[in-house]
Amino acid sequence: MDGTELRLGLADALLRGRARIAQRLRPVLGRHLRTRRALGRADIALGRWQHTLAQTFPVLIRPHPRQLTVAVTSACNLRCAGCRYGRDFMPGERLPLAMARQLLEDARACGVGRVRLYGGEPLLHPDLVEMVRCSTELGLDTYLTTNGILLGERIDELVQAGLRWATVGFYGVGQAYEAYTQRDGWFVHLERSLARVRERQGSRFSLQLNFVLVRPTCNLEALRAAWAFAERFEMAFHLDLYGYSMPFFTDGPQGGLRFRPEDRPVVEEVGRELVRLKLAHPQRFPQSLELVRSVPDWLLLGPAMRVPCDAYELLWVGADGTVQLCDVTFVLGNLRERRLRDMLFGPEHRRACREAFLLRCPNCTCKSDSRIRKHGASLRRYVS
């Protein structure tokens, strides 16, 4: 066995071992927050070691799918500025329940531990509850990403099916929300929906506000309003950075979402406030301090932000059955033609993982937090 084969064997053994250990410990770790966080830090440290070696030996980057994201439908009840779902991105497509079940079974067998169901708007899929039930019965950590409008009226059946948390895309308060979603008078529907979630399930059900940072929301007034909204409904606060390379996201009808060089003063002002909020409320703001400090660079540099990608931990499935490494690129196949298990771990999957790591791709903001913490140079830059 030569040196390359030995390194590959060690890398594969390490990744398989991590996947098996994570699957076995997940039910226990869910009840022990401190232990889970400690193991999370150890996992990031191991990833940093791997990324450091892979700068010289990219062949060490191997497929290690941990999270599956499934766009169960392309339909949406909003018309958000910049979003193509519900219009011209996979129009009319919806993942059949039988295909979703098979997908989840294969994902579990291949080492995936977490499943994100989204759309479009996933609550528009007639079989969403059964998908949730299938995923949770397989032991997968399952959550929903939704615009929240329909969550309140569906919350009881979702919880009964095993759902315990959801993330809600958020674009502003009041008129700002309605301008972005292009739905006059609908902000009150969102408020009523989240109030019903809390009324029916209390703090037993976890909610996370995903604050989307685009030019209209990147100001102190919008940030503070979003933070107050998260506090009001007992939500964790999470940043979603402008997706400048996502195929289903555009610069908006008037081209006003993408950041420009002249935005630097306000972006840096918002960045300082984000750091203050993170230091003052670490429990509500779970993303790392290093990520928070890097936000101005992600927003202003765009694809020039060169941080190696760990999309080798991801799989993305579109409503038409397309399987990709991530939601931007590296197509691996289609579920209408073959099963997920037959697409993974072969030469094409391995190549995609290495190409993503080396940023031979559109280089999006995906997984920005873990990427920063696994990249030694970035960690040194943003640690203080």
Side-chain angles (χ1 to χ4, degrees):
M1 178 180 294
D2 62 24
T4 298
E5 290 176 337
L6 178 60
R7 287 192 296 270
L8 290 178
L10 289 173
D12 280 341
L14 177 64
L15 293 178
R16 286 196 302 270
R18 287 166 69 187
R20 285 195 296 269
I21 292 170
Q23 284 186 341
R24 290 174 181 174
L25 289 180
R26 191 171 296 111
V28 177
L29 295 180
R31 300 190 295 271
H32 299 281
L33 181 60
R34 290 184 180 179
T35 303
R36 187 169 75 244
R37 287 176 175 170
L39 288 176
R41 290 192 294 271
D43 189 65
I44 286 290
L46 184 60
R48 193 177 310 129
W49 169 83
Q50 181 187 12
H51 280 208
T52 300
L53 289 179
Q55 296 288 338
T56 304
F57 304 106
V59 72
L60 291 173
I61 296 298
R62 311 284 279 180
H64 180 36
R66 291 182 164 190
Q67 174 162 323
L68 170 67
T69 295
V70 188
V72 298
T73 178
S74 64
C76 190
N77 50 356
L78 301 182
R79 295 183 64 83
C80 296
C83 182
R84 296 172 56 203
Y85 273 113
R87 283 168 277 185
D88 61 347
F89 185 76
M90 297 187 179
E93 296 289 354
R94 189 169 75 190
L95 207 64
L97 176 59
M99 186 178 292
R101 282 178 171 152
Q102 194 174 74
L103 165 68
L104 293 167
E105 290 168 359
D106 285 356
R108 174 67 175 81
C110 291
V112 167
R114 173 171 288 180
V115 172
R116 175 194 181 205
L117 301 174
Y118 87 128
E121 173 47 52
L123 287 165
L124 294 177
H125 196 298
D127 298 315
L128 178 67
V129 171
E130 287 307 309
M131 291 181 184
V132 169
R133 193 184 317 279
C134 176
S135 187
T136 57
E137 287 180 351
L138 286 167
L140 296 165
D141 178 15
T142 307
Y143 73 104
L144 199 66
T145 292
T146 170
N147 60 40
I149 296 293
L150 301 173
L151 186 60
E153 65 184 65
R154 305 287 302 277
I155 189 61
D156 290 348
E157 58 182 329
L158 287 165
V159 169
Q160 188 176 22
L163 193 71
R164 294 296 178 267
W165 64 297
T167 67
V168 179
F170 194 78
Y171 320 102
V173 169
Q175 290 183 347
Y177 173 90
E178 293 166 7
Y180 187 86
T181 61
Q182 301 185 76
R183 287 288 186 263
D184 291 342
W186 277 42
F187 184 69
V188 67
H189 296 321
L190 175 63
E191 293 179 301
R192 289 171 180 167
S193 177
L194 297 183
R196 179 169 174 79
V197 171
R198 285 291 170 244
E199 174 190 337
R200 299 292 301 176
Q201 298 297 328
S203 59
R204 296 183 300 275
F205 189 85
S206 297
L207 286 171
Q208 175 177 288
L209 181 146
N210 287 358
F211 183 50
V212 182
L213 265 178
V214 289
R215 288 189 81 226
T217 62
C218 191
N219 59 77
L220 292 182
E221 180 181 5
L223 171 59
R224 289 166 180 165
W227 185 269
F229 189 91
E231 289 185 317
R232 175 183 169 192
F233 291 104
E234 302 174 55
M235 306 172 79
F237 185 89
H238 183 279
L239 296 172
D240 276 358
L241 307 182
Y242 175 75
Y244 43 74
S245 60
M246 294 178 180
F248 47 82
F249 200 83
T250 71
D251 194 20
Q254 283 81 44
L257 303 182
R258 184 186 294 267
F259 290 91
R260 305 166 187 170
E262 59 266 29
D263 296 325
R264 178 171 292 278
V266 69
V267 168
E268 291 181 345
E269 182 180 46
V270 167
R272 289 190 292 271
E273 179 65 5
L274 287 169
V275 170
R276 187 192 70 78
L277 288 169
K278 170 63 182 178
L279 292 172
H281 307 278
Q283 301 305 314
R284 189 175 298 280
F285 201 161
Q287 288 165 297
S288 72
L289 183 58
E290 291 79 18
L291 179 277
V292 175
R293 286 180 172 138
S294 73
V295 164
D297 285 342
W298 284 105
L299 298 181
L300 294 168
L301 293 177
M305 186 72 168
R306 310 298 291 179
V307 183
C309 186
D310 57 358
Y312 54 83
E313 296 184 343
L314 298 180
L315 291 169
W316 180 90
V317 176
D320 66 348
T322 297
V323 178
Q324 298 181 175
L325 192 67
C326 67
D327 53 8
V328 173
T329 190
F330 298 118
V331 176
L332 301 177
N334 193 291
L335 295 176
R336 301 183 191 277
E337 299 169 359
R338 53 183 177 147
R339 292 182 62 155
L340 179 71
R341 66 187 184 190
D342 299 322
M343 303 180 202
L344 303 187
F345 306 113
E348 187 65 18
H349 192 191
R350 293 196 298 270
R351 182 197 65 80
C353 291
R354 290 194 293 271
E355 295 289 286
F357 175 78
L358 295 170
L359 301 181
R360 294 171 182 166
C361 62
N363 185 20
C364 64
T365 58
C366 178
K367 288 179 69 61
S368 51
D369 196 347
S370 61
R371 288 167 65 183
I372 287 289
R373 290 185 289 156
K374 290 178 181 178
H375 185 224
S378 293
L379 193 64
R380 290 189 293 273
R381 178 174 183 179
Y382 300 115
V383 76
S384 62

